[in-house]
Structures are given as structure tokens and as C-alpha cells.
Amino acid sequence: LHDISCASIYNPPRLVLCRLSQVRGSRYNPSFLEPEVNKELYQKPWEELSEEEREKLELKAVQPIKAAPPTVSSSVFSDPMISKFTNMMMKDGNKVLARSLMAQTLEAIKRKQLEKYHKAPEDEKETIECNPYVIFHQALKNCQPIIGLSSITKGGKTYQVPVPLKDNRKRFLAMKWLITECRENKNRRMLMPEKLSQELLQAFNNEGPIIKKKHVLHKMAEANRAYAHFRWW
Amino acid sequence: LRLMYTATAMQSKNAGASGPEKYTEAFIKKQIEEFNLGKRHLANMMGEDPETFTQEDIDRAIAYLFPSGLFDKQARPMMKHPTEIFPEQRKIQWGEDGRPFHFLFYTGKQSYYSLMHETYEKLLNVQKYQDQLAAQDHLPQKEKRNLVGSRWLTKIELEEMLLEKLSDDEYSRFIQLLQKLMMLPCGDIEEKYIQKFSKEVPAQLQKVVIEPLKYDGQGVAFSTGEGTRKTARATAVVYDNGTGKITVNGTDVLHYFPVLQDREQLLFPFQFLDRVGKHDMVCTVSGGGRSAQAGAIRLASAKALRSFVTEKEVEFMRQAGLLTFDPRVKERKKPGQEGARRKFTWKKR
């Protein structure tokens, strides 16, 4: 005779972090503020701050703040523009590959510029920019369109109306054009870093297919000037 | 339980019944009498003094007498004052002849518009008073009001106060009017009126106790911290007088985290405090993926570093987002969709 020990399957309430179902919302309370990672802002002494900044600081002291995302860091090497560009280059969430491609691109730019630097005569050496970050920023800036086109339907017909673009939109368009250009128009079997560095250097010197695309867009906007009054915002 | 904050309106109890009065005044009165009687009976049953039987005692008694394993707290047996159970309702707003009592009844939101009118009247009064003072050149200097400790009523709280539904636009208009009133130099006259619509935010809730430093066998100061991110759990022990060596689960950080981004995250708190080569760290981490483990160790090390650092720097760390737990987790898949957000391919037929 054996005891029939009824093994009751009773799961004691565990302190599991219940993942509450979340539908169409942010996991943060709307009162949470964005974190400020830049070290220099925190090193300013109290006396140097203006009235407004002191008020803002006081308010911030009582408000909760979101966690810093894993892509952001306070080191000199983390640049928000570069991170944005890396994310746009990323495919299927492969951040490791995107980051390595970005690093290789910056290295390629540096190599090309250093080659140019060593070959150049003495007086031209100062004009050659070797810092890849500066080149990247300047190239993006040169690629940004000022005015864009928006399709507005009026009286059955769709018109392309010239419209001023917001900063975010300009940056996005510049980055998008760069990436699509590099992915599609590789004339021979090139790898992404090589092609990207080539395009960035061309954009830095205000030449190349992306600058041409920007000028084409500007010309279209100029041509459609007549419809500018269709814009109501 | 961590709360979820949705963009759509939260399901709030209907403030002000839509329809005729469900609970008459006489009914509520009777309920209150029954509640008081029942309270005394309960006190007698539990052997306590009926005179000093508080609501907490009632809750404990009910939980003892009627134990319930139900998950939802609202579904369990409860005994509370009728005003908490029966929602407040608007009284009938018209007389026997059918004529409404309030002159703004036909706006549809009589309490909201009458409130706006009242507030604007106060504003005009203050402006008149200000003009009088200006004529005599007695304008007082505006003292900086301490905005830190107070906040305005939320939309839901205002709806409960007025017993009427409001739209976001109307709510924001009311708040703007209140702010305008507050900003005027002589706005302090109407201080009482404004206080009705503001609530205090207790700043002490955020005071976290920072543990003091501990000392190990060799006299080296160290401090521990715990951190989580998604499903990863980490504990970090930060030692003083170190060389910047980091050990994770017994292996060196270079072997455990081959990706640069993760190592950057581990160094983030140290780099922020300019203490890169000064501390040693030994951590254990389990669960989660590569990035989650790095985030968990980051939080753990930031918490451990609090003990080494001044209060001001702790505040700076908090404002940089190093000391906040990251609540983002994987969103669940919904039925009828392929993933959390991705829908099935739309086929025309």
C-alpha cells in the first residue's frame, strides 16, 4: 500500500515582473522627461546660470526622468546624428553590422583624406579636412534640401506644391538619399563603406549625385512657384 | 504592478450619471445609516470598541471574515462608506414645470461654463484692482511663486469635481485661464480660489536612501547595486582604489561583451562621473539578451556608485537617466494580427 500523495499543482504567487498588456501607449507616464546626457551642462556652476535655467533646474528636480536608451552615452564618441544614420542603415535589427559598417566608413574617409593630405603641397595642407565626423556633418548639411514638394489635391487635380520643410524632415531626407544612393548605384562590385565614403566626400565638396538630386528638387519647387498659395499651413 | 499608461482615455467611472437619478437622496441616506449600524455590529463581532472603529479596521475585519482569492481588488467583498461606493450624481436640473434651474443649462455643460464665467469674473476683478493700484502707483512686485510643489488638477479630477464630461480642448482652456489669473501681479488676492484647483506634489517621494560604503577585509571600500532590464537581472560590486578592471560572471568584460556598444554602456556611469580608471567592478548577470544584460549592469553599477559620490552628482546622474529603471518590455502579440503591431497581409478578396 502506498500513500497517494495528491500532488496538488499549486503555484505560489511569484513576484514575476508582470508584463501587463500594453495597447497603443508608452510604458512611461506622460509626466516623465527626456534625459540630458551631455556632461558639460552639469558642470556649469550655479552662479553662471540664467534665471530661466535655474527655474528649469528646480522644476526638473521634482519631475521623474526616463532611462537613457542603450544607444546613447556621455562619451565623446557617441554622436546623435551618427546614431540616427546607423539606425537608418540597419537592416532587420542587425545593429552590430550597421555599426561596423559606419566605423569602416569613417575609417575609409580618414584614410582617403590622409592620403590626400600627404600628397598635397605645403600651402594646401591646411585646407584639407581630416576629421571624419566634421566631414560627415558638413556633407549631411550640404545634402539637406531647403524646400520640398507636397501633393495637394484641389478640384480633382493633384498639384505638387512647394512647401518649407522642418529640420527633422530635412535631415531625414538627406540621410535617406545618401543611403538609397549607396545601395542602388554601385557601378562595380563595391562594398557599402567604400561607396558611402565616396559619396560623403563628394557631398562635402558640393558635388555628386545627391547634391544634384537636391538641386533638381529645388528647381522643381521653383518651377511650381505658381501653386505656392495652395498651401494652407 | 507597474502601471501602463495608454494614449486612449482610461476607463473612468462615469462622473455624473447619464440619465435620470438612479440613487435618490433618501436612498443614500438610508445606506449611510445602514453602514453606520453595520460598522457597530462588525466592531462588536470582532470584539473591538464600536466608537473607535476606523475604516482600516473595517477592511481588515472583512478580509478576515470573507477571505477571497480573486485577482481584481474591486471584485472582492468590501464595506466602505456609501459615498465611496455609489458614484456622485447630478441632481435633477429642472423643476416640476420642466424649466431648468441654472441659466446655462442649455449649453449642455452648465457647471463647466459657469466655472469659466466665475474664473473670468475673478480675472476682471483682479485687473480692475490692479488698475486702481497703478493709478496710485502702488503696484506690488510679482514674487516668484514656487511652481515646484504644486500641479493643476488633471482632466479626470476636474471631471469628477464638475460631474460633467469635458473635452481636452475645454480642459486646456480652463487651465490657461487659471494660469493667466495666477501670472497677474495682484493675482494673490484670489489665492484661495486658485488653490481649489491645484494639488501638492510631494517631492519627498523621490528621496531614496543611499546606502553607506562598506569595507572588506583589506580595508578597500566597496558598494553593491542591483539592476534589471527586460528579463536580465544583474548585481554589481564596485570597489574603490581600482584600475578599471571589469569582471562579468567570472570572465573579463572583453570576452563577455564582444560588441562595442555594450562596453560603452558599462562604462557610461563611470565616464559620466569622470571616474573611469578609479574603480574595479565585479558583476553577475543572468537572463535577457546581450543588450538587456548590458543595460542591467549599467543600472546596477550606477546604483552602486551613488554611495561613492556627492548628493549633487547623484541628482545629475538621475537627470542623465542613469538611475531610472527602464520599463520597456516586449509588446505582446495580439489576436488577429501577425505580431504586436504588424497586421496580416491585406487581401482585397
Side-chain angles (χ1 to χ4, degrees):
Chain A
L1 287 172
H2 39 252
D3 323 56
I4 305 165
S5 51
C6 43
S8 56
I9 309 164
Y10 168 61
N11 288 326
R14 263 173 274 183
L15 290 168
V16 175
L17 274 176
C18 324
R19 294 186 198 176
L20 295 182
S21 67
Q22 173 221 322
V23 185
R24 304 271 159 244
S26 160
R27 297 239 58 178
Y28 289 111
N29 188 329
S31 65
F32 274 63
L33 305 171
E34 295 295 325
E36 187 58 66
V37 180
N38 196 356
K39 257 204 286 190
E40 281 153 45
L41 294 174
Y42 296 115
Q43 272 153 11
K44 269 200 213 170
W46 182 256
E47 288 76 29
E48 276 185 25
L49 299 171
S50 69
E51 282 286 327
E52 278 181 19
E53 287 177 351
R54 284 190 207 181
E55 256 189 57
K56 258 207 300 193
L57 265 183
E58 274 184 31
L59 270 177
K60 231 181 165 182
V62 254
Q63 280 159 337
I65 302 199
K66 299 188 194 179
T71 39
V72 150
S73 152
S74 67
S75 74
V76 281
F77 301 111
S78 74
D79 188 3
M81 282 277 245
I82 302 256
S83 317
K84 198 61 150 202
F85 193 76
T86 326
N87 287 342
M88 285 184 71
M89 264 209 303
M90 175 168 66
K91 275 190 179 175
D92 295 329
N94 196 346
K95 181 77 126 233
V96 179
L97 185 60
R99 260 185 90 126
S100 70
L101 286 177
M102 196 68 219
Q104 284 169 36
T105 314
L106 294 171
E107 193 194 326
I109 295 178
K110 182 94 191 201
R111 278 182 198 273
K112 288 187 189 171
Q113 289 298 87
L114 276 179
E115 226 185 282
K116 237 169 100 175
Y117 183 83
H118 289 304
K119 282 191 193 158
E122 279 302 321
D123 45 340
E124 274 183 34
K125 281 202 175 175
E126 282 170 3
T127 53
I128 298 179
E129 181 59 57
C130 278
N131 187 349
Y133 291 92
V134 167
I135 293 183
F136 180 81
H137 285 264
Q138 188 56 43
L140 267 191
K141 225 168 153 184
N142 291 348
C143 287
Q144 284 179 10
I146 307 172
I147 198 168
L149 291 172
S150 151
S151 348
I152 295 183
T153 326
K154 193 151 177 171
K157 278 187 18 178
T158 332
Y159 300 97
Q160 292 293 321
V161 174
V163 134
L165 294 173
K166 287 203 181 145
D167 280 331
N168 285 340
R169 181 79 186 148
K170 289 184 200 169
R171 262 176 259 145
F172 170 77
L173 278 175
M175 291 198 248
K176 184 92 183 177
W177 288 343
L178 254 178
I179 294 175
T180 36
E181 174 65 40
C182 292
R183 281 184 184 160
E184 284 157 26
N185 295 354
K186 297 187 204 159
N187 296 327
R188 54 189 165 81
R189 234 193 110 195
M190 260 199 254
L191 290 173
M192 183 71 160
E194 201 193 318
K195 175 75 180 172
L196 234 194
S197 55
Q198 200 183 53
E199 291 301 329
L200 280 171
L201 284 169
Q202 280 184 327
F204 180 69
N205 297 325
N206 268 319
E207 36 184 58
I210 301 155
I211 301 287
K212 207 170 147 195
K213 195 164 176 176
K214 175 181 95 157
H215 287 319
V216 161
L217 182 63
H218 283 176
K219 279 198 196 121
M220 283 277 288
E222 187 63 34
N224 285 8
R225 251 178 86 153
Y227 305 127
H229 65 283
F230 282 172
R231 179 172 67 99
W232 63 84
W233 63 89
Chain B
L1 281 179
R2 279 167 231 272
L3 280 181
M4 151 197 86
Y5 297 98
T6 51
T8 55
M10 301 252 274
Q11 293 139 357
S12 56
K13 290 206 184 60
N14 185 15
S18 52
E21 269 188 47
K22 283 187 229 161
Y23 312 114
T24 50
E25 265 193 60
F27 173 78
I28 300 271
K29 247 190 187 168
K30 206 169 110 190
Q31 292 293 316
I32 295 177
E33 277 169 26
E34 280 184 14
F35 172 76
N36 287 327
L37 251 184
K39 201 164 88 163
R40 297 184 75 90
H41 278 303
L42 188 63
N44 274 328
M45 267 195 273
M46 299 298 286
E48 308 256 354
D49 180 19
E51 305 297 331
T52 55
F53 206 53
T54 58
Q55 184 61 45
E56 285 165 1
D57 296 326
I58 299 180
D59 292 332
R60 255 183 283 141
I62 297 285
Y64 169 71
L65 292 169
F66 304 99
S68 156
L70 294 175
F71 180 79
D72 193 355
K73 299 268 191 320
Q74 306 280 71
R76 296 181 192 168
M78 63 167 132
M79 181 166 163
K80 295 212 192 299
H81 195 85
T83 41
E84 286 172 44
I85 298 191
F86 299 106
E88 254 189 82
Q89 285 189 308
R90 276 183 295 211
K91 303 188 195 61
I92 300 267
Q93 285 153 351
W94 52 87
E96 272 185 20
D97 54 350
R99 285 190 78 197
F101 296 131
H102 202 284
F103 74 105
L104 287 172
F105 172 78
Y106 288 111
T107 57
K109 299 181 188 176
Q110 66 178 42
S111 13
Y112 169 72
Y113 285 108
S114 72
L115 183 72
M116 289 290 275
H117 274 289
E118 233 184 277
T119 318
Y120 191 62
E121 213 185 288
K122 304 249 182 235
L123 189 83
L124 288 174
N125 277 345
V126 168
Q127 278 175 345
K128 212 163 81 171
Y129 182 68
Q130 223 177 295
D131 292 334
Q132 278 172 4
L133 285 186
Q136 296 156 13
D137 289 324
H138 278 326
L139 264 181
Q141 285 302 315
K142 174 75 181 163
E143 287 151 19
K144 283 281 169 173
R145 189 179 298 266
N146 194 15
L147 295 162
V148 169
S150 60
R151 62 165 176 92
W152 295 118
L153 285 185
T154 57
K155 183 166 158 243
I156 300 172
E157 286 165 357
L158 191 62
E159 280 184 357
E160 274 170 33
M161 203 168 100
L162 298 177
L163 295 177
E164 261 166 25
K165 283 235 178 280
L166 293 175
S167 79
D168 287 329
D169 199 28
E170 288 165 359
Y171 169 72
S172 62
R173 287 203 72 149
F174 178 61
I175 297 292
Q176 277 168 21
L177 197 59
L178 276 179
Q179 271 167 348
K180 195 169 169 186
L181 181 57
M182 200 172 74
M183 287 296 138
L184 291 176
C186 303
D188 300 327
I189 313 166
E190 307 294 349
E191 183 81 39
K192 255 192 186 173
Y193 184 74
I194 295 176
Q195 267 170 11
K196 266 200 278 178
F197 302 105
S198 63
K199 268 203 173 160
E200 279 196 17
V201 171
Q204 278 107 27
L205 273 182
Q206 290 164 12
K207 289 278 178 204
V208 184
V209 177
I210 303 176
E211 285 175 17
L213 286 173
K214 288 173 260 187
Y215 293 87
D216 72 350
Q218 271 93 43
V220 176
F222 73 95
S223 159
T224 33
E226 284 180 359
T228 47
R229 171 96 213 273
K230 288 194 196 175
T231 335
R233 310 275 176 270
T235 42
V237 186
V238 177
Y239 293 93
D240 208 357
N241 298 344
T243 49
K245 208 171 88 156
I246 304 181
T247 316
V248 185
N249 281 356
T251 52
D252 190 37
V253 70
L254 269 177
H255 295 297
Y256 198 83
F257 289 119
V259 180
L260 178 63
Q261 180 181 308
D262 303 331
R263 276 173 280 149
E264 225 175 46
Q265 286 295 293
L266 294 199
L267 280 174
F268 186 3
F270 299 99
Q271 205 269 341
F272 186 76
L273 298 167
D274 292 324
R275 285 165 178 251
V276 176
K278 300 184 192 164
H279 293 280
D280 267 341
M281 187 158 76
V282 176
C283 14
T284 47
V285 66
S286 65
R290 170 207 105 210
S291 186
Q293 286 189 340
I297 301 179
R298 183 184 94 181
L299 183 59
S301 58
K303 284 191 180 166
L305 277 172
R306 277 185 308 194
S307 325
F308 286 94
V309 141
T310 58
E311 261 191 46
K312 237 188 172 181
E313 293 198 278
V314 171
E315 178 57 31
F316 290 156
M317 273 216 285
R318 187 192 75 96
Q319 288 189 6
L322 279 168
L323 295 173
T324 325
F325 167 76
D326 199 334
R328 303 179 293 172
V329 284
K330 194 161 165 166
E331 199 173 319
R332 75 160 271 201
K333 176 198 172 317
K334 285 107 197 170
Q337 293 177 357
E338 198 180 309
R341 299 274 168 126
R342 169 155 166 83
K343 323 283 185 279
F344 288 124
T345 320
W346 181 74
K347 295 198 187 84
K348 199 162 177 182
R349 43 189 74 88

